[in-house]
Amino acid sequence: MKIGSQTIQLENTPKLLQTASMVGPKEMDGPLNQFFDLHTDDVFLGEKSFEKAESKMLEQCVNHLLSKAGMNNSMIDYIFAGDLLNQCISSGYAIRNLNIPFIGLYGACSTFCESLALAASFVNANYGKNIIATTSSHFCSAERQFRMPLEHGNQQSPTSQCTVTGTGAALVVPNSSSIHSLYITHVTFGKVIDFGIKDMTNMGAAMMPAAYSTITTHLQDTKRKLDYYDAIVTGDLGILGSELLVDQFQKEGYDISHIHKDCGVLIYDKEKQDTHCGGSGCGCMASVFSGYFFEQLKSKKMNKILIVSTGALMSPLSIQQGESIPSIAHAVAIENEV
Amino acid sequence: MNTNIDMSNKEYSDYVEKKATNSPLLKNIFWAFLVGGIICMIGQAITDVFLKFGFPKEQASTYTTIILIFLGAFLTSINLYSKLGKFAGAGSVIPITGFSNSVVAPAIEFKTEGYILGLGANMFKIAGPVLVYGVTSSIIVGFFYWLIKIFL
């Protein structure tokens, strides 16, 4: 049921049954390493190209999710998936082997919430019983598409972020009293917002207004207050973007510094890992949510969170043509009780 | 709660710029000077050795260039040049070793797309513009040099 201007209330409260995550070596060196299910030390995963490696990582993660949930691929109705590469090849090639109906999505780094929101909406509407939402990103495949070759000796801007090599997958099922898991209660789809930032090395600043718009619209639509949530988790605003978001709420008279978390800030240790403003990419929120936040909710350390993944909808081409960076954010509310 | 940010694009850009950390300019300049200087000193040393062994000056500097290009390519292939570039910046980009790095790095990266359309087509992705405008400007300068020589 649609409520307010942009939010869907999932009146049948689908459940988030299980998640799985997989990350690369740099993420395993970071502070969240104990929360990830799978990891690889080899950025190639034994493949010949980084694109194939990313695909393989996504496939392994989905297979791990199925085994954790005690299911096989014939029991899955649909899979919503996306990544950063042109024509979403990581997802398409990975799902080719899985034999599950596939809905490919692109929302840049906002794709995780986009796919989770759509999966939850599908289950809520009874279009399917077991639906997977998953996204991936790989540092090396993203670098070569968006930036310079890896071996090129150059300096990064202090506002730049590092694409996470990681993937996360979540399984959404219909509400049933026999299943003890989390509820997905609301989803809010964001508008495309552009404040004229043109610097591709400062995505946090470009994406902050989108995150702000989606969070405030979500609160307005659901008539909830900020302190309703134990945490408001953004995807990859990074250190600067997070600071700008906290500041923006401050200007409106709200202090969110104690409940705001950002997956891009959490995943790396800035001082030790030289990651400038933090992590980014589709795999950033996917792996951090599926690994860390799912665990926090399961163990009741948190009970209600709003996850907001943020995406910058530019391409290297549009940047070369002098365009600014339009951004988007989608939000999903996940709660222990309804 | 206001769902819109009450700022114009210009105001937002200025505000972001004020908030963002700037590059550590002095530190970057220092390292660029030091590393760039050391690379040039190595080049000079190689030239001096050739001169000492009796090679004419022009030949000595050609051989030096070839050796420096090889060193840049070699260090790129063992993933050291990118590490050097991280703190040396312009110090390792500007010398000929940096030019070599900018050709070898895409060559390694695009090998997966095949030798023709991958490696061959992308090898000069970074160095290409330098060549285009380097050659163009040298032609223009050469033309004026020729003109001046006619009249003087």
Side-chain angles (χ1 to χ4, degrees), chain A residues 302-320:
Chain A
M302 291 177 184
N303 284 313
K304 302 165 202 156
I305 68 167
L306 182 70
I307 57 170
V308 188
S309 60
T310 45
L313 300 174
M314 85 300 159
S315 83
L317 194 86
S318 70
I319 295 298
Q320 281 172 3

Side-chain angles (χ1 to χ4, degrees), chain B:
Chain B
M1 196 181 297
N2 193 358
T3 58
N4 294 318
I5 294 176
D6 201 12
M7 264 190 261
S8 70
N9 286 3
K10 172 92 180 60
E11 280 167 353
Y12 185 66
S13 287
D14 292 345
Y15 162 63
V16 167
E17 203 153 303
K18 216 171 66 199
K19 277 273 177 183
T21 335
N22 289 325
S23 297
L25 207 61
L26 275 179
K27 190 181 134 207
N28 285 353
I29 290 173
F30 171 76
W31 280 110
F33 178 77
L34 196 74
V35 175
I38 288 171
I39 293 172
C40 295
M41 274 167 63
I42 294 169
Q44 188 59 52
I46 296 168
T47 314
D48 287 350
V49 170
F50 277 116
L51 288 175
K52 203 160 188 194
F53 280 95
F55 286 88
K57 195 161 183 279
E58 210 157 274
Q59 243 178 51
S61 54
T62 308
Y63 292 154
T64 307
T65 310
I66 292 169
I67 288 170
L68 285 177
I69 288 174
F70 168 76
L71 284 177
F74 180 70
L75 292 176
T76 305
S77 68
I78 57 169
N79 202 13
L80 273 183
Y81 209 85
S82 59
K83 291 191 176 112
L84 182 71
K86 219 172 202 174
F87 67 88
S92 64
V93 171
I94 303 292
I96 193 113
T97 47
F99 189 78
S100 163
N101 167 252
S102 74
V103 175
V104 175
I108 296 171
E109 184 106 350
F110 288 95
K111 216 185 98 197
T112 46
E113 279 75 48
Y115 285 102
I116 310 282
L117 293 174
L119 192 151
N122 289 296
M123 206 165 162
F124 287 93
K125 219 179 164 189
I126 307 166
V130 182
L131 291 178
V132 169
Y133 294 107
V135 171
T136 312
S137 55
S138 66
I139 289 171
I140 295 169
V141 171
F143 175 72
F144 282 107
Y145 182 70
W146 173 73
L147 267 189
I148 293 166
K149 266 192 118 174
I150 288 176
F151 292 109
L152 290 180

